[in-house]
Amino acid sequence: MKQKKSKLSQLILFASIALLFSCGSKKQASHYSVQDEISEKLAEYKAGGWQMQGSSRTLRGVLSSVIERLNENPDLVEVTGTANNFAVISNGKEAAAANASNRYAATATRLVKGTIDSDAQLSQTLGTERDNLYAAYSSTVERLIRGDLKEAYTLVRNRQNGKMDCEIHYLIDEVKAQTSREAAIKKALDNVDIDQKYADKIREHVNKRPDIE
C-alpha cells in the first residue's frame, strides 16, 4: 500500500514539475515583445553595415511606427526593394523601386500561371497565348504597382569601392493593389480570344493577394 502511495506521489511530483516548466516557457515566450523584435532588427542592420537615410527620426522609432501600422491595418503589406553598386542615391532609389515592383509582379503572375496550368481545359484553350498573357499581365502589374509603393524607410551602406547599396522598405495597400491587378488582367485578357467563363475564373485568382516573400 505504501509502495502504491509512493508511486502516486512521484507521478504527482513529475506532473507538477512538467506543468511548472510548461507555464514558465509560455510565460517566457509571451515576454517576446515588439521592442524585442525591433532590437533584433537593429542588431541585424548594424551587423550588415546599414544606416537609415533621409529621415530625422531614429531607426528604432521608424521601425516601431511601421510595425504598428502593419498590425493596425491588415490591408497593408511590406515589400522590399534592393539596389547595389550605385554612385548616386536617386539612381539607387529608382532601381530599388523597380526591383520591388518586379518582385510583386512576379509573385502575382505566379498565382495566375498556377490557375491556368492546373486547369487542363483552360490551358489547352489558351494554347500558345498563355505566355503572351503572362507577359502582358506581369509587365502591366509591374508598371501600375509602382504607383502603389509607399516608402516606409530607406537603408544605405557604403561599399569598399566608394559606391553604395540600398534596401528600401515599402508599404502597399492591398485594396489599391487589387485595383491595379484587376486593371492589368483586363488589359491582358483584351488581347486573348477566350470564353467569358474562363476569363472570370482567371479574374477570381487575380483577386487573391500575393504572398510576397
Side-chain angles (χ1 to χ4, degrees):
M1 184 70 174
K2 287 183 179 180
Q3 188 178 5
K4 288 184 178 179
K5 286 184 178 180
S6 176
K7 288 183 178 179
L8 181 60
S9 299
Q10 288 178 350
L11 286 173
I12 293 173
L13 178 61
F14 290 146
S16 299
I17 292 173
L19 182 61
L20 181 63
F21 276 109
S22 174
C23 292
S25 63
K26 287 179 181 177
K27 187 176 181 181
Q28 187 176 7
S30 66
H31 284 172
Y32 185 83
S33 65
V34 170
Q35 292 306 315
D36 292 324
E37 181 182 356
I38 291 173
S39 294
E40 286 185 6
K41 271 293 180 188
L42 289 174
E44 178 186 324
Y45 290 151
K46 184 177 180 181
W50 295 104
Q51 292 185 326
M52 188 167 63
Q53 189 268 340
S55 176
S56 60
R57 299 184 62 186
T58 64
L59 183 52
R60 178 179 285 275
V62 171
L63 288 175
S64 180
S65 176
V66 169
I67 292 174
E68 184 179 355
R69 290 176 65 188
L70 288 168
N71 288 338
E72 288 180 350
N73 186 352
D75 291 325
L76 286 181
V77 296
E78 185 176 0
V79 181
T80 303
T82 60
N84 301 309
N85 203 31
F86 57 86
V88 181
I89 285 289
S90 58
N91 292 343
K93 297 186 78 167
E94 183 72 16
N99 176 253
S101 301
N102 179 270
R103 291 180 64 237
Y104 187 98
T107 305
T109 303
R110 280 197 295 271
L111 279 176
V112 173
K113 189 174 186 299
T115 301
I116 294 172
D117 291 350
S118 63
D119 188 320
Q121 191 171 7
L122 175 55
S123 182
Q124 185 177 4
T125 300
L126 283 170
T128 57
E129 289 294 312
R130 282 182 301 171
D131 290 340
N132 294 334
L133 177 67
Y134 301 150
Y137 177 66
S138 181
S139 62
T140 307
V141 169
E142 184 173 349
R143 177 174 56 82
L144 294 179
I145 210 68
R146 187 80 170 264
D148 297 325
L149 295 175
K150 303 302 177 186
E151 185 178 330
Y153 61 99
T154 297
L155 301 173
V156 175
R157 67 181 174 191
N158 296 317
R159 300 172 68 96
Q160 290 183 349
N161 63 2
K163 294 187 178 182
M164 294 171 284
D165 299 330
C166 75
E167 180 179 293
I168 305 183
H169 294 255
Y170 304 94
L171 296 181
I172 292 180
D173 186 332
E174 273 294 339
V175 174
K176 295 179 180 178
Q178 181 175 329
T179 301
S180 295
R181 297 196 306 273
E182 288 173 347
I185 198 62
K186 181 180 184 303
K187 182 176 180 180
L189 288 171
D190 283 345
N191 297 318
V192 176
D193 184 16
I194 187 174
D195 289 344
Q196 187 63 41
K197 63 177 182 179
Y198 292 128
D200 290 342
K201 184 172 184 177
I202 294 172
R203 286 193 181 93
E204 285 178 16
H205 288 267
V206 165
N207 291 336
K208 292 182 179 179
R209 296 183 176 184
D211 186 12
I212 310 300
E213 299 175 355

